[in-house]
Amino acid sequence: FVRAEEIKRLYLKDEPLFLQEASPENLFYQLVAGIIASKKMVILSSKLTTFATQKIKDEANTLLDLNANSALFYLLSSGTTGKSKLISLSLQNIYSSATGVINTFQMQKNDTSFLNLPTHHIGGLMVLWRAFFSSSAITLNENENYQFISLVPLQLKRLLDHPEKIASLQKCRAILIGGALLSAELKNIAISQHKLIIYETYGMTETCSLVLLNGRPVGEVQVKLSSDSLFLIKGPVLSPDVTVDSEGFYHTQDQGKINPDGGLQFVSRADLLFKSAGELIDPQEIERVAKELCEITEALVIPIAHPEWTNATTLLYQSNDLQSSKAD
C-alpha cells in the first residue's frame, strides 16, 4: 500500500510533481501516489545541479501547459537514440511495455531483477514497473541471487573481468543488453566462453524501453524497415508525443537490417550522431560549444573506433596560434 501521507500531500498541490528521488523505493512510492492523485509527474536525476534542474523545470512547465494528452510521466531520454529531451509516457505505455517483457520471460513473484540502471531514465524505470506488474522482486545488492539484469555492452565487458561476477551472471535467465551495439567478439565471449544467456535489445524512451529482443518484436509491438532501412515502430508502447504516419508507424532515425534468421538488427544512426560508451554523441553540439571559446577558430568532432567504448570522441581543432592546433 502507498503511504497515506504521500497521497494526502500530493492531493493538496495543484501543480506537476518533479521527482528527484535517489532511492528507487521512494521514487516508486511517489509515482504510485501520483497516479492515484492524477498528477502529471516529471522524473529527474537527483544528481542534477540546481541550475540544470531549474532549466528543465521551466521547459517541463511550458510543455505541460501545451500538452493535454494522456501522459502521466515525463522523463529525459538517455541520449542513446537522440539528443536528450523530455518525453511523455502514459500509464498504458508503461503497462504494455512491462507486460510484453513479463510475458516473454514468464516473470513471476519468485524472480528477482538486479537494478543497476538509473531510474530517471526509461531503462531503469521499467525494471521497477516489470517487478511491480509481475509481483517479483528488486535487488540493489550484487551479492544476492537474481534472474534478470540489464546492461550496456561496456558494463558487460567490465563484469566479465571478474570471475565472481561471472558466476552471478551465469545464474541469470536473461541478460538484456542495450544502449549500444554489442560487438560480435564480446557476444561470442559471453555466450560461448561463459555460457551466458544474452538478449540483444533495441528501444528508446519514445517506445517506453525495448521493442526488440534478439531481433524479434515484443508484445503487441510491430517493427519493420522502411524503404531506406529505417526502423518503423507501431504499438501501444509509443509515447503520446511521437508523430505517426497514416498506418500508425513512428519513423525513427535508426538504420537497421534483416539478419539471415529473419530478425532485425540495429546498424547505425541515419544522422551524424554516434555512440560512445552507450551514450549518443552529437558532434555538432560539441563543435558549437568548442568554437565559442576565443582560442578556437575551427573545430571538428569525429568518432574513432575504441575497443572498450565502441567509439572514442575525438575533437580536432585549430586555435589562433597555429602551432597549438591538435587533436584531443
Side-chain angles (χ1 to χ4, degrees):
F1 293 95
V2 178
R3 293 173 295 193
E5 64 270 19
E6 292 289 350
I7 301 175
K8 181 179 179 181
R9 182 176 64 82
L10 296 176
Y11 268 118
L12 294 176
K13 292 187 176 182
D14 185 22
E15 59 186 41
L17 294 176
F18 291 93
L19 307 180
Q20 290 181 280
E21 293 286 348
S23 162
E25 178 185 32
N26 288 339
L27 173 63
F28 201 74
Y29 273 134
Q30 296 270 1
L31 287 173
V32 177
I35 292 173
I36 296 172
S38 300
K39 304 292 291 189
K40 300 281 187 179
M41 293 170 282
V42 182
I43 305 171
L44 301 176
S45 170
S46 61
K47 298 181 180 180
L48 284 176
T49 64
T50 302
F51 176 78
T53 298
Q54 189 57 54
K55 183 177 180 181
I56 295 174
K57 284 185 176 181
D58 292 342
E59 177 185 348
N61 281 320
T62 300
L63 181 65
L64 267 60
D65 287 342
L66 298 174
N67 196 340
N69 62 33
S70 59
L72 277 176
F73 310 94
Y74 289 78
L75 64 163
L76 283 169
S77 59
S78 62
T80 57
T81 55
K83 187 176 179 180
S84 185
K85 56 186 177 181
L86 279 171
I87 303 295
S88 71
L89 295 171
S90 68
L91 189 55
Q92 177 63 49
N93 298 151
I94 294 287
Y95 180 76
S96 297
S97 177
T99 54
V101 176
I102 291 168
N103 293 337
T104 298
F105 293 115
Q106 297 184 335
M107 296 175 68
Q108 50 195 318
K109 64 180 181 180
N110 294 327
D111 290 324
T112 299
S113 298
F114 181 56
L115 179 60
N116 68 322
L117 297 176
T119 52
H120 60 273
H121 287 321
I122 192 62
L125 183 65
M126 287 311 300
V127 175
L128 296 178
W129 282 107
R130 289 172 203 148
F132 177 77
F133 286 119
S134 64
S135 299
S136 58
I138 292 288
T139 183
L140 304 178
N141 185 351
E142 61 183 7
N143 296 318
E144 291 186 9
N145 289 330
Y146 50 87
Q147 290 70 50
F148 299 95
I149 187 172
S150 298
L151 302 168
V152 298
L154 179 58
Q155 290 174 316
L156 175 64
K157 186 177 188 302
R158 290 177 174 174
L159 287 175
L160 294 183
D161 292 332
H162 302 277
E164 72 281 3
K165 294 181 179 179
I166 294 174
S168 294
L169 294 177
Q170 289 172 331
K171 298 176 183 178
C172 287
R173 286 168 48 201
I175 301 170
L176 308 181
I177 306 296
L181 188 64
L182 178 63
S183 70
E185 179 184 8
L186 181 57
K187 182 178 179 180
N188 183 61
I189 292 173
I191 296 176
S192 300
Q193 183 174 332
H194 299 296
K195 311 301 180 185
L196 302 183
I197 303 176
I198 298 293
Y199 287 85
E200 295 181 80
T201 72
Y202 168 77
M204 60 195 76
T205 308
E206 289 89 338
T207 63
C208 200
S209 192
L210 60 89
V211 292
L212 291 178
L213 278 169
N214 283 349
R216 307 294 178 182
V218 179
E220 302 176 58
V221 176
Q222 298 179 48
V223 184
K224 64 180 182 179
L225 297 180
S226 67
S227 57
D228 49 356
S229 297
L230 296 179
F231 278 118
L232 306 182
I233 303 170
K234 177 181 180 180
V237 299
L238 285 177
S239 161
D241 284 342
V242 303
T243 301
V244 298
D245 63 21
S246 58
E247 296 180 350
F249 281 93
Y250 168 53
H251 293 234
T252 75
Q253 289 299 306
D254 293 329
Q255 291 182 324
K257 68 176 183 179
I258 301 177
N259 290 326
D261 65 359
L264 296 169
Q265 180 180 336
F266 170 81
V267 175
S268 66
R269 289 282 302 181
D271 48 29
L272 296 176
L273 305 182
F274 63 90
K275 290 182 180 178
S276 180
E279 296 294 330
L280 207 66
I281 306 299
D282 184 349
Q284 294 178 314
E285 180 66 15
I286 299 175
E287 292 166 2
R288 181 188 65 78
V289 173
K291 286 188 285 189
E292 289 178 353
L293 301 174
C294 60
E295 299 88 353
I296 295 179
T297 56
E298 294 293 337
L300 177 66
V301 172
I302 59 172
I304 293 181
H306 191 281
E308 188 173 14
W309 303 334
T310 306
N311 291 293
T313 305
T314 306
L315 172 65
L316 305 175
Y317 67 89
Q318 184 176 58
S319 71
N320 296 322
D321 180 0
L322 296 182
Q323 291 184 348
S324 68
S325 299
K326 59 180 181 179
D328 286 332

